[in-house]
Amino acid sequence: MRVNRILLSSALILVALVIQVSVLARLHLPGAVPDLLLLTVLGLAMVYGHVGGALVGFGAGLLADLAPPADHAAGRYALVLCVIGYFAGLIRPENGRLKSATGPMAVVVAAAVGSTLLYAGVGALVGDTAARHVGLPGLLFSAALYDLLLAPFVVPAVMWLARRCENDPLDETGPAAKAGDISSGWLSSGTGLRVGDSRSGLGALKARARTRSARVGRIKGVKRL
C-alpha cells in the first residue's frame, strides 16, 4: 500500500475505534453496538479495492482485538473485517465514486449481517457461545439497523477523504485533464483546426504548395516553348 493510504487508513481507524469504544459502546442501546469501525473499513475498501480492503480490515480488526475492553480471542475480529474488506473491495464503484445510494446501502446491510454471523461462527469454533445467550436474530436486526442509520454520515466522508489522498494522475476529471481540455480548446479556437487533425492539416498545406509549384513549372515551360 502507498504511504498516503497507510497514514490515512491508520488515522481514520484510530478515530473510529476511539469513538466506538468511548461513545457508542456506552450508549447501552438494545442489541448490537453501532459498528463505526466496520463502516470505515467499507468506505476505504470501496476506494482501495479488494487487496487494500483486506489489509485495512485486518489491521482494523487486529487493533480492535487488542484494544480494551476486548474480551475475546485476538485475531477473531481481524479475520471478520479482513473478509468483509476483501468482498467490499470487489464491488468497488468505478473511479471510487458513488453513482447512487442504493448499492452502498445494500453493501452496508450485507456487511453488518455477514460480520455478525461470521463473528458468531468463529466464536462457536473457539467455544464462545455468548451470541446464543444474547439472541442472534436480535443482534442481526439491530446491527443492520444501526449501521444503516450511521452509514450515510460515515461511508461517503471516508470515501471522499480516500479519493482526496489518492492524487491519481490518470483520473479523467483531474486538473491535468482539465488543463488538457483548456489547451486543446485554445489551440482549436486560435487556428481554426482541431488538435487531432493537425497532421492532416499540414499535409493538405504541403499538397497545395506542391500543386502550385507544379503549375508554375508548367507555365514556365510553356513560355520557353
Side-chain angles (χ1 to χ4, degrees):
M1 295 180 69
R2 300 176 183 176
V3 177
N4 55 351
R5 289 187 177 185
I6 296 175
L7 294 176
L8 178 65
S9 301
S10 301
L12 291 177
I13 287 170
L14 285 175
V15 172
L17 183 62
V18 170
I19 294 176
Q20 181 168 334
V21 172
S22 60
V23 177
L24 298 179
R26 297 185 179 183
L27 295 178
H28 301 292
L29 297 174
V33 177
D35 202 339
L36 184 62
L37 199 61
L38 173 65
L39 298 178
T40 304
V41 171
L42 289 178
L44 293 173
M46 286 192 286
V47 176
Y48 296 156
H50 59 284
V51 177
L55 293 176
V56 171
F58 179 80
L62 186 60
L63 187 62
D65 289 332
L66 300 177
D71 56 352
H72 54 269
R76 181 176 172 184
Y77 201 48
L79 175 62
V80 172
L81 288 186
C82 181
V83 174
I84 296 298
Y86 178 84
F87 283 104
L90 290 177
I91 54 177
R92 178 182 62 173
E94 185 178 359
N95 295 328
R97 289 174 171 80
L98 297 176
K99 296 181 179 179
S100 65
T102 304
M105 292 299 102
V107 172
V108 169
V109 174
V113 174
S115 62
T116 305
L117 289 176
L118 187 58
Y119 186 83
V122 175
L125 292 177
V126 298
D128 185 4
T129 59
R132 298 180 181 178
H133 302 289
V134 176
L136 188 58
L139 284 177
L140 293 176
F141 177 77
S142 58
L145 179 62
Y146 296 153
D147 292 347
L148 190 61
L149 294 176
L150 196 60
F153 306 98
V154 178
V155 176
V158 171
M159 294 183 68
W160 181 82
L161 288 174
R163 291 197 307 268
R164 292 283 294 179
C165 291
E166 280 295 280
N167 293 327
D168 189 2
L170 298 179
D171 190 1
E172 294 180 356
T173 61
K178 293 181 179 179
D181 293 339
I182 294 173
S183 61
S184 62
W186 179 77
L187 288 174
S188 62
S189 62
T191 60
L193 297 175
R194 295 181 180 177
V195 177
D197 297 334
S198 58
R199 294 182 179 179
S200 60
L202 292 176
L205 292 177
K206 291 180 180 179
R208 292 178 182 176
R210 291 176 184 176
T211 304
R212 291 178 181 177
S213 61
R215 290 179 180 176
V216 171
R218 291 177 183 177
I219 293 173
K220 291 181 178 179
V222 171
K223 290 182 177 180
R224 290 177 183 178
L225 293 175

